Amino acid sequence: MLPEDCLSTILSFTSPEDAFRSSLVSSTFRSAVDSDMVWERFLPPDYPEIVLRTVTPLKFSSKKELFHCLCDAVLIDGGNKIFKLEKSSGKKSYILSAKELSITWSSNPLYWSWIPMAESRFSSVAVLRTTDWLEIGGNIRTQMLTPNTTYGAYLIMKISDRAYGLDSMPSEITMEMGNHQVSSSSVFLQHQSSKKRMEMWKLIESNQRVLSESEDGWMEIELGEFFSGENDEQLKMSLMEVKGCHLKGGLVIEGIELRPKD
């Protein structure tokens, strides 16, 4: 049997999932897996900064415990973002709250209201009262994410029972990285299919997105997929419907989530 420190070194070049499995082999492996050397490699390089940015101080006595803490979604940056590590890979995920997004006229209470919602992970969400110009945008630097990883970006939202005008025209979705457009598509903001939606669908030539419901009851739209390489670039995501010139309301925005797809 190899010395424990050698086992720890070898395990640090695997993945968190492999390390968890190895800990079941024997007490020697379990002790090697518990080493800070292993979990230092699994934590992102900027973890000290992330720990300082948490709203509630984290309690941990080892790097393994810290990894587990960060695998549970933690509020950072004054409660306006959520950070999380994927337990199997250690890759980063973020949720940008609605307050972190650029929402046209969101500061005008005639058009948008900001209210607390029990099922939201943030202190408040943006609720569309009425507007004829729907434009929601978000951005993030790719250096905040795990390098060389394929990510998906998702708008987290709800459509109220009293919503109106959201499905009259498809909303346009775009994603840009640096000066290049990564993807463009459209989506009908509606709970479920209808005859009108299906008729409109046939008139649109671009790629269509669909709403999906997550386990926590929120709905999400995939805004696009991108690869975070080694370079630091600005990623911009947007959803807008400004061509219909009709009033619409009843949209609830929690934020935009960026999570690994591989």
Side-chain angles (χ1 to χ4, degrees):
M1 178 70 72
L2 290 171
E4 185 178 304
D5 59 343
C6 289
L7 284 176
S8 295
T9 301
I10 293 169
L11 288 167
S12 71
F13 287 95
T14 61
S15 68
E17 186 174 34
D18 291 333
F20 286 128
R21 290 174 178 170
S22 299
S23 67
L24 302 176
V25 173
S26 67
S27 58
T28 302
F29 268 84
R30 185 161 54 252
S31 180
V33 168
D34 287 342
S35 168
D36 276 353
M37 179 193 304
V38 175
W39 297 96
E40 179 80 26
R41 289 290 298 266
F42 295 155
L43 288 164
D46 59 346
Y47 77 85
E49 177 191 347
I50 292 168
V51 170
L52 291 175
R53 290 160 59 193
T54 57
V55 172
T56 303
L58 302 178
K59 297 180 180 180
F60 58 92
S61 59
S62 68
K63 297 294 173 60
K64 182 180 180 181
E65 288 185 7
L66 173 57
F67 183 88
H68 280 288
C69 287
L70 294 177
C71 286
D72 294 326
V74 293
L75 284 168
I76 63 172
D77 296 349
N80 290 329
K81 296 189 188 79
I82 286 175
F83 176 85
K84 182 181 179 181
L85 292 179
E86 299 291 310
K87 187 174 182 180
S88 61
S89 65
K91 294 182 177 181
K92 300 176 181 179
S93 294
Y94 279 93
I95 302 179
L96 312 178
S97 73
K99 287 188 176 295
E100 288 283 304
L101 306 182
S102 172
I103 304 175
T104 301
W105 297 328
S106 62
S107 60
N108 191 326
L110 293 176
Y111 301 108
W112 290 85
S113 59
W114 294 87
I115 63 170
M117 185 173 283
E119 56 267 41
S120 176
R121 291 156 286 194
F122 297 105
S123 60
S124 63
V125 298
V127 180
L128 176 60
R129 302 184 68 182
T130 187
T131 187
D132 61 355
W133 188 284
L134 178 62
E135 187 172 8
I136 302 166
N139 63 80
I140 191 171
R141 305 294 310 189
T142 56
Q143 68 175 357
M144 294 175 61
L145 306 172
T146 302
N148 301 317
T149 299
T150 300
Y151 274 87
Y154 306 85
L155 180 67
I156 307 168
M157 48 162 282
K158 286 179 181 286
I159 299 175
S160 71
D161 294 334
R162 296 183 179 181
Y164 60 92
L166 296 172
D167 62 337
S168 298
M169 290 281 290
S171 295
E172 298 176 356
I173 297 170
T174 58
M175 176 179 283
E176 298 178 359
M177 184 178 289
N179 296 321
H180 305 286
Q181 183 169 289
V182 177
S183 63
S184 64
S185 55
S186 58
V187 64
F188 282 91
L189 299 178
Q190 189 172 359
H191 279 295
Q192 50 190 314
S193 298
S194 68
K195 182 178 180 181
K196 179 169 65 172
R197 178 179 173 182
M198 295 307 293
E199 289 174 349
M200 288 288 290
W201 195 291
K202 296 175 183 178
L203 299 176
I204 307 299
E205 296 180 357
S206 60
N207 180 38
Q208 294 290 325
R209 301 284 184 186
V210 294
L211 299 178
S212 60
E213 187 169 349
S214 56
E215 294 179 357
D216 57 11
W218 287 90
M219 303 183 79
E220 64 179 33
I221 306 166
E222 183 173 345
L223 301 176
E225 178 181 301
F226 65 97
F227 183 75
S228 63
E230 298 286 349
N231 297 328
D232 178 30
E233 296 187 273
Q234 180 88 337
L235 179 75
K236 298 179 181 179
M237 307 147 282
S238 70
L239 178 144
M240 61 190 304
E241 199 293 282
V242 298
K243 295 179 179 179
C245 299
H246 60 278
L247 293 177
K248 37 200 163 273
L251 185 64
V252 182
I253 302 296
E254 187 186 35
I256 291 178
E257 181 173 7
L258 299 107
R259 60 177 185 259
K261 299 187 78 171
D262 56 12

